[in-house]
Amino acid sequence: MIHKLDIKTNSQVELQEITDRVRDIVAASKIKNGICHIFVPHTTAGILVNEHADPSVVEDIAAQLDKMVPQKKNYRHLEGNSPAHIKASIIGDSRTLFIEGGKLALGTWQGVFFCEFDGPRNRSVMVKLTED
Ligand code: ZN
């Protein structure tokens, strides 16, 4: 069974925290120990695990990605959103987390972020849990 999270993004680039939504899926499953797979079925969005205690961390990540991948360059892709495709490729489209004792085994400072690079849009994230 695949759980689908509907994500609504509000700007072109947005790193939206979804940790609690993933935790809710894990809690509802009653799985004590296992694996939580998170997959983003989009070519201009990604999934990231990083610090959520200080929101300026993901702002810095987004700002540096903007510097690494300029909005205007002689890209060949005619749709005009090559920077979004490239950023999504850098971040990646999936993460694998562990479930231990019925909880997501994240570090104290870690959160899960949906990374929008070509918004605003309606997006989705797929979550699949497997039990040990
Ligand atoms: Zn495109």
Side-chain angles (χ1 to χ4, degrees):
M1 179 189 176
I2 293 171
H3 304 266
K4 193 175 142 227
L5 289 178
D6 294 318
I7 310 267
K8 185 177 176 13
T9 61
N10 302 299
S11 47
Q12 187 185 28
V13 173
E14 180 179 334
L15 276 60
Q16 184 178 127
E17 185 167 12
I18 59 168
T19 315
D20 287 345
R21 299 178 70 186
V22 178
R23 281 198 170 114
D24 288 347
I25 291 171
V26 171
S29 75
K30 311 278 189 213
I31 290 174
K32 288 289 167 225
N33 297 291
I35 301 279
C36 171
H37 304 274
I38 307 174
F39 177 70
V40 172
H42 304 290
T43 60
T44 54
I47 192 88
L48 177 71
V49 174
N50 214 290
E51 173 161 345
H52 70 154
D54 178 0
S56 56
V57 171
V58 290
E59 288 170 17
D60 284 346
I61 291 170
Q64 288 306 309
L65 283 171
D66 274 339
K67 282 192 182 163
M68 289 165 62
V69 187
Q71 203 57 37
K72 295 264 179 272
K73 217 174 178 178
N74 54 341
Y75 299 113
R76 299 182 62 185
H77 177 46
L78 293 175
E79 197 188 4
N81 62 352
S82 274
H85 288 290
I86 294 166
K87 289 175 188 173
S89 300
I90 291 169
I91 294 296
D93 58 19
S94 67
R95 288 293 186 276
T96 300
L97 305 176
F98 302 124
I99 303 166
E100 270 192 351
K103 292 184 171 161
L104 267 188
L106 284 168
T108 306
W109 309 109
Q110 287 181 315
V112 182
F113 294 86
F114 177 83
C115 303
E116 174 65 83
F117 297 117
D118 198 22
R121 290 188 193 220
N122 291 314
R123 301 289 206 169
S124 61
V125 171
M126 297 157 92
V127 178
K128 187 167 180 70
L129 308 179
T130 54
E131 196 162 13
D132 283 354

